[in-house]
Amino acid sequence: MTLIDLKTKKDYLSDTVKKMKPSGIRRFFDLASQMDNVISLGVGEPDFVTPWHVIEASFHSLEKGYTAYTANAGLLALREEISGYLENNFNVKYDPEEEVIVTVGASQAIDIALRAIINPGDEVIVVEPCFVSYAPSVELAGGVPVSVHTKSEDHFKLKPEQLERAITSKTKAVIFCNPNNPTGTALTEQELAAVAEIIEKHDLILLSDEIYAELTFDHKPVSLTSLSSMQERTILISGFSKAFAMTGWRLGYVAGPKDIIKGMLKIHQYTIMCAPTMAQYGALEALQNGRENVRHMVQSYRQRRHFIVDSLNEIGLDCYLPGGAFYAFPSIKSTGLTSEEFAEKLLLAEGVAVVPGNVFGESGEGHVRCSYATSIEQLQEAVTRMDRFMKSL
């Protein structure tokens, strides 16, 4: 044994990383992966395979030798399609050359957006329950996440007065997802306009995560960017994972004001270079010729939504009808169990994996997230097992 082995091992991790908790979702996925005959309602991805014409376009790009880097911001042809898609579907117009970046998933877009705008100590309001990466991403960028807890009695809809109460002199931005993961809540244009008014009043930046926008069931999708003068202060984040069934392709995009996008591109250049070329050609095909595929998937999710919500209510788990995404967020408070206790006991007793609501923030406690992005047959079996579990309690 050498002298260096006898010394106390040096701690090389940063204080920020040491304080950061691992993803609460992964713990249940890891536990479920060690069991047989598990039905997972936990995974936040479509059960559809990426449409063949998209896969084929990616193959053809390789056959044609398109294996080099693209421009840092992505293929101009893809950025032009993204710009056209946003204008046609959400009535917002972006310059594809200076206001759009193709990213490695929407998650990278969130990361570089926060790093581009945050100074140490800046506060970022995080509307909860929310995607698990928001608060850690704020912390990694040097900011301070400030939680706003939406309420189950409001179906987890953000109220403007809640948002305003959380704003201080240090508040720099708000990060907000609509439709929401994990609750499935989708705000109407009128409700979004009330939120936009507060953001404009206090001169804040909005990170608008619209990855589930296509999966809006009860009204036409609305982008916060399209309201009033919000485009000049909004960083719009989206991608191809959810609506286009391309989760493993890891391709997203961000659109926003020219000066912010220019700053984000500098970070993107140094950390990523560019998104994978073959994936970009697949996304180009998806936008050009994939609208019918999206409509088919949305219709299927709409049918499954009604089935799972009706079934959950029938077995004694109170659940409102979500307006978007592919998640139901039933209350399990009647069982007397915490979210984690319920999820773990259900998994071990009946082999059904759900995600405890508290991993999405304090206001998610007392609920679990159930993804209905799986076949009706699997959903039927999952509900049968959950019913048996509820009766056993």
Side-chain angles (χ1 to χ4, degrees), residues 58 61-72 74-75 272-281:
S58 180
S61 75
L62 295 175
E63 291 171 345
K64 293 172 185 176
Y66 300 154
T67 58
Y69 296 128
T70 68
N72 293 132
L75 291 167
I272 295 296
M273 184 69 75
C274 67
T277 303
M278 61 183 289
Q280 292 192 55
Y281 279 103

Side-chain angles (χ1 to χ4, degrees), residues 44-118:
E45 65 176 338
D47 61 318
F48 296 100
V49 175
T50 303
W52 175 249
H53 66 98
V54 175
I55 298 172
E56 196 170 41
S58 180
F59 285 167
H60 285 170
S61 75
L62 295 175
E63 291 171 345
K64 293 172 185 176
Y66 300 154
T67 58
Y69 296 128
T70 68
N72 293 132
L75 291 167
L76 179 57
L78 177 55
R79 285 180 279 144
E80 288 171 342
E81 284 293 332
I82 290 168
S83 179
Y85 165 80
L86 291 173
E87 184 174 9
N88 293 335
N89 288 276
F90 303 103
N91 198 32
V92 289
K93 188 172 179 61
Y94 289 98
D95 179 353
E97 295 196 28
E98 297 188 286
E99 295 180 325
V100 179
I101 303 173
V102 181
T103 59
V104 181
S107 294
Q108 192 228 343
I110 293 167
D111 177 46
I112 62 174
L114 290 167
R115 286 199 272 170
I117 65 171
I118 289 178

Side-chain angles (χ1 to χ4, degrees), residues 132-143:
V132 294
S133 79
Y134 290 170
S137 294
V138 171
E139 292 172 339
L140 287 170

Side-chain angles (χ1 to χ4, degrees), residues 63-341:
E63 291 171 345
K64 293 172 185 176
Y66 300 154
T67 58
Y69 296 128
T70 68
N72 293 132
L75 291 167
L76 179 57
L78 177 55
R79 285 180 279 144
E80 288 171 342
E81 284 293 332
I82 290 168
S83 179
Y85 165 80
L86 291 173
E87 184 174 9
N88 293 335
N89 288 276
F90 303 103
N91 198 32
V92 289
K93 188 172 179 61
Y94 289 98
D95 179 353
E97 295 196 28
E98 297 188 286
E99 295 180 325
V100 179
I101 303 173
V102 181
T103 59
V104 181
S107 294
Q108 192 228 343
I110 293 167
D111 177 46
I112 62 174
L114 290 167
R115 286 199 272 170
I117 65 171
I118 289 178
N119 290 311
D122 283 346
E123 293 179 352
V124 177
I125 292 176
V126 178
V127 181
E128 295 182 353
C130 66
F131 181 46
V132 294
S133 79
Y134 290 170
S137 294
V138 171
E139 292 172 339
L140 287 170
V144 179
V146 176
S147 299
V148 169
H149 300 145
T150 56
K151 299 178 180 179
S152 58
E153 56 264 36
D154 298 325
H155 293 178
F156 295 103
K157 291 188 174 185
L158 175 63
K159 301 296 183 180
E161 58 270 21
Q162 289 179 298
L163 178 60
E164 190 155 38
R165 281 197 298 268
I167 295 171
T168 72
S169 60
K170 295 181 179 180
T171 306
K172 182 73 168 283
V174 178
I175 183 165
F176 177 68
C177 181
N178 187 62
N180 180 271
N181 172 16
T183 67
T185 296
L187 271 63
T188 64
E189 183 171 354
Q190 184 178 2
E191 291 165 337
L192 289 171
V195 172
E197 185 177 334
I198 301 299
I199 291 171
E200 289 179 320
K201 175 182 175 181
H202 293 274
D203 193 22
L204 303 178
I205 298 171
L206 172 68
L207 275 71
S208 185
D209 184 349
E210 302 184 10
I211 191 71
Y212 294 98
E214 286 272 12
L215 308 181
T216 303
F217 303 122
D218 301 323
H219 53 79
K220 186 178 178 181
V222 180
S223 173
L224 263 163
T225 316
S226 67
L227 304 178
S228 186
S229 59
M230 285 298 292
Q231 187 165 349
E232 66 190 38
R233 65 177 68 253
T234 300
I235 303 171
L236 188 159
I237 293 161
S238 194
F240 299 89
S241 291
K242 310 302 181 180
F244 294 91
M246 296 175 67
T247 49
W249 297 66
R250 305 313 304 131
L251 208 68
Y253 59 85
V254 57
K258 187 184 302 183
D259 57 337
I260 294 179
I261 293 297
K262 185 177 180 180
M264 292 175 64
L265 186 59
K266 288 193 284 187
I267 304 169
H268 182 71
Q269 287 170 337
Y270 286 123
T271 56
I272 295 296
M273 184 69 75
C274 67
T277 303
M278 61 183 289
Q280 292 192 55
Y281 279 103
L284 182 61
E285 170 65 20
L287 285 177
Q288 290 175 336
N289 300 303
R291 303 302 303 158
E292 188 56 39
N293 301 119
V294 174
R295 281 190 286 271
H296 167 72
M297 288 186 277
V298 170
Q299 181 58 28
S300 179
Y301 292 140
R302 183 181 283 112
Q303 293 170 348
R304 300 179 203 182
R305 171 185 69 144
H306 284 284
F307 170 78
I308 194 167
V309 169
D310 290 346
S311 298
L312 289 170
N313 280 303
E314 284 174 10
I315 66 173
L317 295 176
D318 185 39
C319 187
Y320 62 89
L321 188 69
F326 38 57
Y327 307 112
F329 204 58
S331 171
I332 53 89
K333 294 176 183 177
S334 62
T335 67
L337 300 173
T338 67
S339 294
E340 290 203 8
E341 288 171 343

